[in-house]
Amino acid sequence: MSEPTPTSTRASSERVEAADRERGEQVSLLRRVTSHHLFGPVLAVVVLLIACQLASPGFLSITIQDGHLFGQVIDIMRAAVTPMLLGLGMCLVIATAGVDLSVGAVMAISLAVSLTFLDNAADPASPTTVVAAVVLGLAIGLAVGVFNGFLVSVLDIQPFIATMILMVAGRGIAMLITKAQITTVTSAPFKAIGSGFILGLPTPVVIGAVVFLVLALFVRRTALGMLVESIGVNAEASRISGVQSRRVMWLVYVLCGLLAGLAGLVYGAPTMAADANNIGLMKEMDAILCVVIGGTKMSGGKFFLGGTVVGALVLTTIERAVVIFHIPATVTPLFKAIVVIVVVIAQAPQVRERLTRHRLGRTPAGTTMKEVAA
């Protein structure tokens, strides 16, 4: 048997090294994908949508009627706007290591004020009247945010306690405004906020997209995002280093209240009915879930606005899947909890690392082709 020549040995070594580099690139790419904070939530949405399509053929189909988009997916996007708006505000608050439990009650107050104003107006269908009602509703949300921010940042009351005040009392305020009755009005311009279309897309989807873009530019193109994260990591250290932490914390609670007021208007506009007992009920929990599913930790620090949007899509898709799968109402909370638990566990670093190794044939990261051959 002939001895291998130096040329053939060198060529074989080069092929092994090339294979090593290729495998290293695969490891790096797969690790980046599976370790991304959006991997689990996006995978959950895709799996749920595919499951719904299998259970109900045509679920993913989108039709165009009179220039407007219709379909189950469009409905999911529309319904996801309310938890998304709440989640975006909650995301900034949680990033400062705080929490706002009043957002559900703020929804009820904001909608109650706007619809009561329209109900008492001479012409509820007047565009000027509708604009005034919307501004009034947003102003209420802004005022609540100022109040919560004052309690937390100036009086140093724990966020959980400070925001629980309006969580409990806010719904009573809404009932006082509506006189414990379901306030209903007829106003086409106001209804269009929740059920209209802009350029073929549902108005809530356009509103949500604009709010997300403006907020993302505001916190990422300015120093605000960095200041918020520094407060969440260590509020005292950020204060000593010159950060005006009280003002920043106050601002994020104001933004949270404003977005909660907008969420109330978007949520109640399609029915044009303000039910103080039910509007926004337990929505604060959905907002927190959106934030956590999106990768933001409750301990504060780094936050992900895009992840919060995906978290809202996850929750809304789960609610639609419940209908498609004909799951009884008594089992719905359990089904929702199971999916959320699976998504959260899938985001754990240990799980992502195991997934990466499994996808690579259980070869530990960094192992070369020479070591495998040996």
Side-chain angles (χ1 to χ4, degrees):
M1 186 174 181
S2 61
E3 293 290 335
T5 64
T7 302
S8 63
T9 302
R10 185 167 55 253
S12 176
S13 178
E14 290 176 354
R15 286 196 297 269
V16 171
E17 292 176 358
D20 286 341
R21 288 194 299 270
E22 182 180 356
R23 188 168 185 81
E25 293 173 357
Q26 292 176 354
V27 171
S28 178
L29 177 60
L30 187 57
R31 177 171 293 175
R32 287 199 300 269
V33 171
T34 57
S35 63
H36 197 278
H37 67 277
L38 290 181
F39 176 75
V42 171
L43 181 62
V45 172
V46 173
V47 170
L48 285 170
L49 290 177
I50 293 175
C52 290
Q53 172 66 23
L54 295 176
S56 176
F59 178 85
L60 297 178
S61 62
I62 298 177
T63 60
I64 301 178
Q65 298 180 10
D66 299 327
H68 302 153
L69 297 177
F70 293 92
Q72 296 278 11
V73 176
I74 302 299
D75 291 341
I76 290 175
M77 294 172 60
R78 184 201 301 269
V81 173
T82 297
M84 185 201 81
L85 293 174
L86 295 176
L88 289 176
M90 187 73 75
C91 183
L92 296 178
V93 171
I94 289 177
T96 63
V99 69
D100 189 346
L101 299 179
S102 68
V103 292
V106 174
M107 287 180 61
I109 299 173
S110 178
L111 183 62
V113 169
S114 293
L115 290 189
T116 301
F117 177 82
L118 288 175
D119 190 40
N120 295 327
D123 184 12
S126 170
T128 304
T129 304
V130 171
V131 170
V134 171
V135 171
L136 190 58
L138 294 178
I140 293 297
L142 188 69
V144 171
V146 170
F147 176 75
N148 286 336
F150 174 78
L151 295 180
V152 174
S153 64
V154 178
L155 300 184
D156 288 326
I157 300 176
Q158 292 183 357
F160 186 90
I161 301 300
T163 57
M164 185 180 290
I165 295 173
L166 277 176
M167 176 186 179
V168 177
R171 204 161 295 280
I173 295 173
M175 293 185 68
L176 283 176
I177 295 172
T178 60
K179 299 179 181 179
Q181 303 293 323
I182 299 179
T183 301
T184 58
V185 298
T186 301
S187 175
F190 186 81
K191 184 176 182 178
I193 296 174
S195 58
F197 289 87
I198 298 177
L199 300 177
L201 293 173
T203 303
V205 175
V206 176
I207 292 175
V210 171
V211 169
F212 172 75
L213 290 175
V214 171
L215 188 61
L217 290 174
F218 183 49
V219 299
R220 293 306 186 188
R221 296 298 181 181
T222 67
L224 179 61
M226 181 183 63
L227 298 178
V228 168
E229 291 179 342
S230 68
I231 293 172
V233 172
N234 192 320
E236 183 63 20
S238 64
R239 184 189 65 79
I240 294 175
S241 63
V243 176
Q244 297 180 337
S245 56
R246 293 185 184 274
R247 291 186 180 182
V248 174
M249 291 179 65
W250 202 338
L251 177 59
V252 297
Y253 280 94
V254 169
L255 290 175
C256 188
L258 179 63
L259 292 176
L262 177 60
L265 299 182
V266 172
Y267 181 82
T271 59
M272 292 186 296
D275 183 358
N277 281 322
N278 297 310
I279 295 293
L281 191 63
M282 297 302 293
K283 289 298 182 181
E284 55 275 356
M285 296 297 104
D286 285 349
I288 294 173
L289 277 176
C290 291
V291 175
V292 174
I293 291 174
T296 302
K297 295 182 178 180
M298 290 294 294
S299 57
K302 194 171 183 61
F303 64 92
F304 305 99
L305 295 180
T308 301
V309 175
V310 178
L313 289 173
V314 170
L315 290 184
T316 309
T317 307
I318 292 173
E319 293 172 355
R320 186 53 57 95
V322 166
V323 178
I324 297 299
F325 298 151
H326 303 289
I327 297 176
T330 54
V331 187
T332 297
L334 177 60
F335 175 78
K336 185 175 181 180
I338 291 174
V339 176
V340 171
I341 290 172
V342 170
V343 174
V344 172
I345 291 177
Q347 290 177 288
Q350 297 89 338
V351 175
R352 292 199 296 261
E353 181 66 22
R354 285 181 176 273
L355 178 62
T356 302
R357 293 187 178 186
H358 177 74
R359 291 287 300 275
L360 293 173
R362 300 184 182 276
T363 302
T367 301
T368 65
M369 293 296 292
K370 294 179 181 178
E371 293 171 338
V372 173

